Amino acid sequence: MFILLLSAAVTMPVTPPPAAYRDEHTQERDGTKRIVRTAQWSDLDGGLLPVEQKLRPNPDGSFSYFFSEQSIATQLYHHALCEQDGMTAGQGEGILSGPDAIGGWSCEQDDDEDLPVPRLEQDPESTSSSEGTLLHDDRSADYVFAYAPSGNVGVSENFRAHGSVRFRTTRAGNAEALIGVDNRRCVYRVSRYYSAGTTGSFAPWVNCIVHVPTTVPTETVGCIPWGCATDRGRVVAY
């Protein structure tokens, strides 16, 4: 039923363009410019589905994504993507950057239990590498763990990389998560303000591509007001 709903709600053509996405430039009534990007994402049932993301262009060349600005069809997809891992759609600002970054999402939850395993969507055998940690002696109640994916993908095929971050902060402020591929050639970063004493999790996604057979690094970074943790994996393109 969900797939039928999305197919009816998203009106763009199913066949992807050569660049794997299509941009439509729009302008709001107040003069604010937007880009509506249509790219191929998983239909959550083994296939692909064209999904729109409304993005705000930033002066540095990056794009900002806000859940509240999306169409109903996009919000439904974002929710469904996150629900498969028992999480909810991220409500903070997401920033997409890098010359080959096509799209990104973030999922979140209010605790750090049952954290989804980082993965490459195209590789069922993908795993996470070692974890990065942050502990502070007299602030031992604060922590952040970052997990990056490792696995195999096809050359010149868009793939979707998923990282995980879990944290607890005793200090109010922004908590952030970043997933990057190939020294940040493709990056999606999410940031959200949390009150003191919050325990939570992020799962950022980025849609990327590797053009030649090689091995490229992946990176997941998690930050809380006291500091950051980083974990690294690798993608083998063949």
Side-chain angles (χ1 to χ4, degrees), residues 13 25 42 45 54 72-73 76 90 98 112 117 127 148 161 183 203 211 235:
H25 295 262
S42 170
D45 195 31
K54 183 180 288 188
I72 297 300
L76 284 170
D112 64 351
V117 176
T127 61
N183 299 311
H211 298 288
V235 169

Side-chain angles (χ1 to χ4, degrees), residues 23-37 54-57 69:
D23 285 348
E24 178 186 355
H25 295 262
T26 66
Q27 187 167 305
E28 306 293 334
R29 291 182 178 179
D30 62 1
T32 303
K33 295 181 179 180
R34 296 284 188 272
I35 290 177
V36 179
R37 175 166 293 180
K54 183 180 288 188
L55 305 170
R56 296 186 190 181
E69 297 181 352

